[in-house]
Amino acid sequence: MVNRVMVQPNPTRDNTVQVSCRLIGLLLREGFEVLALEGFRELLQAGLSADQAVRVRFLGEPDIYPACDFIMVVGGDGTILRTAGQASLYRKPVLGVNCGTIGFMSEIEPDELELVRKVKEGSFTLDDRSMLDIQVFDRQDREVYSTVALNEAVVTKGFFNRVIPLSVIVDGQEVFQFSGDGVIVTTPTGSTAYSLAAGGPILAPSSDCLAVTPICPHSLTIKSFVIAGTSIVTVKPAYKGHQVFLSPDGDTYELRDGDRVVIQRSRRIFSLLRIKGQGFYEIIRQKLANERTGK
């Protein structure tokens, strides 16, 4: 039975705390058990009635993920990305409430909170998404950094650099060398994010593939390309005094001379909880049309 829900707001976005409090009130009325991180206690209790406030269980991060059945993220896609690591580790599906701009991964809007009743009724599906394992090895072949990402791994230049030389290797074979602002390795989920803005293709979430998208390459022949989901991508920056960063899903790690980045599909799966029955292409059409018209 899906009954225990963790509410995860993004307090830096306008209106998310207010929407979260409305959501908590609705969840409690529908008979859900509501959990939230201890760090949000003061923020949320200020917007709840006394009766509602005492019914919410506030837990620390080590305890809350095993205790919940699913997570409701109130914010934008960035908030979902920041939740994806722990959610995938504990195999907890996420239902997004979009308080951001586009919200490709968010399922409902703030005026559609009543739809959460469908979860109680069991009227939902799980949309499983692949993730990336990202490792950095130094010149002595020692692993110096590792993480998991839902959207992408970006190797990019520092703020003051003009361009950086890069080598991209797929399954042991060099695909190209080029100078530019960087390169993006993306999952199908991330194909509608930075990669799309850089000229990469849109990949259906069920696609068994990854995409490699150069960022502003100084060449007319270097283009984005799609590879098998089982492929291993290695990115080797040629430093020459340049500052180079690795950015997995918006985080930042500064690479050092001799480092190489190895990217491959992870065994972890991230699940989005779907209750509206919309297809991927319908979502794409609506979200991109809204972006163009500013709705």
Side-chain angles (χ1 to χ4, degrees):
M1 183 177 180
V2 181
N3 190 59
R4 296 169 298 177
V5 53
M6 170 185 170
V7 175
Q8 177 75 7
N10 177 358
T12 65
R13 279 196 174 275
D14 293 342
N15 206 34
T16 55
V17 175
Q18 180 183 349
V19 172
S20 296
C21 291
R22 282 173 44 212
L23 173 63
I24 289 171
L26 174 62
L27 290 167
L28 292 172
R29 289 196 301 274
E30 292 296 322
F32 287 94
E33 182 180 346
V34 179
L35 294 73
L37 283 167
E38 182 63 44
F40 293 120
R41 179 189 291 269
E42 184 176 347
L43 199 64
L44 291 175
Q45 284 186 338
L48 297 172
S49 69
D51 175 65
Q52 292 170 342
V54 297
R55 293 171 61 190
V56 177
R57 289 177 59 200
F58 291 94
L59 299 172
E61 191 163 308
D63 302 315
I64 195 167
Y65 291 98
C68 70
D69 295 319
F70 71 105
I71 303 166
M72 290 198 69
V73 171
V74 183
D77 282 352
T79 317
I80 293 178
L81 288 178
R82 288 188 290 275
T83 308
Q86 290 293 87
S88 63
L89 180 63
Y90 290 96
R91 292 307 308 266
K92 305 297 181 179
V94 168
L95 174 59
V97 180
N98 182 36
C99 292
T101 49
I102 301 179
F104 279 112
M105 288 186 285
S106 299
E107 178 71 355
I108 60 176
E109 300 297 322
D111 61 355
E112 299 176 316
L113 298 181
E114 299 284 340
L115 291 176
V116 76
R117 292 193 179 111
K118 290 190 174 185
V119 180
K120 195 76 168 178
E121 299 164 358
S123 181
F124 63 86
T125 59
L126 294 181
D127 179 7
D128 291 341
R129 302 296 182 94
S130 59
M131 303 183 76
L132 297 174
D133 282 334
I134 304 163
Q135 299 166 285
V136 177
F137 296 90
D138 66 13
R139 61 172 65 253
Q140 282 78 41
D141 206 33
R142 297 172 300 194
E143 183 183 286
V144 293
Y145 176 84
S146 67
T147 191
V148 177
L150 174 60
N151 262 7
E152 68 215 357
V154 183
V155 177
T156 186
K157 66 185 182 70
F159 182 76
F160 295 106
N161 294 347
R162 294 183 178 177
V163 295
I164 52 173
L166 293 169
S167 172
V168 177
I169 300 161
V170 178
D171 295 332
Q173 299 184 52
E174 185 173 78
V175 179
F176 48 52
Q177 291 184 359
F178 73 97
S179 292
D181 286 357
V183 66
I184 306 164
V185 180
T186 180
T187 64
T189 299
S191 70
T192 54
Y194 190 7
S195 177
L196 178 63
I202 294 177
L203 307 176
S206 58
S207 302
D208 183 15
C209 58
L210 304 173
V212 180
T213 303
I215 308 169
C216 300
H218 282 211
S219 170
L220 295 177
T221 60
I222 303 298
K223 303 296 182 182
S224 179
F225 62 96
V226 177
I227 59 177
T230 55
S231 291
I232 299 174
V233 181
T234 302
V235 179
K236 293 182 178 180
Y239 290 80
K240 299 180 180 178
H242 295 23
Q243 194 175 36
V244 185
F245 293 95
L246 167 65
S247 179
D249 282 356
D251 288 339
T252 302
Y253 176 83
E254 185 170 0
L255 299 169
R256 298 186 178 186
D257 189 10
D259 285 352
R260 73 182 193 279
V261 183
V262 178
I263 304 151
Q264 59 190 312
R265 187 168 60 192
S266 176
R267 291 184 179 180
R268 283 206 213 172
I269 297 294
F270 176 73
S271 297
L272 289 165
L273 200 152
R274 299 299 193 189
I275 57 179
K276 293 171 72 172
Q278 288 181 303
F280 171 69
Y281 297 106
E282 182 182 0
I283 294 171
I284 289 293
R285 178 178 56 79
Q286 289 182 353
K287 298 292 186 180
L288 292 182
N290 287 346
E291 174 69 4
R292 287 195 300 271
T293 59
K295 293 181 181 178

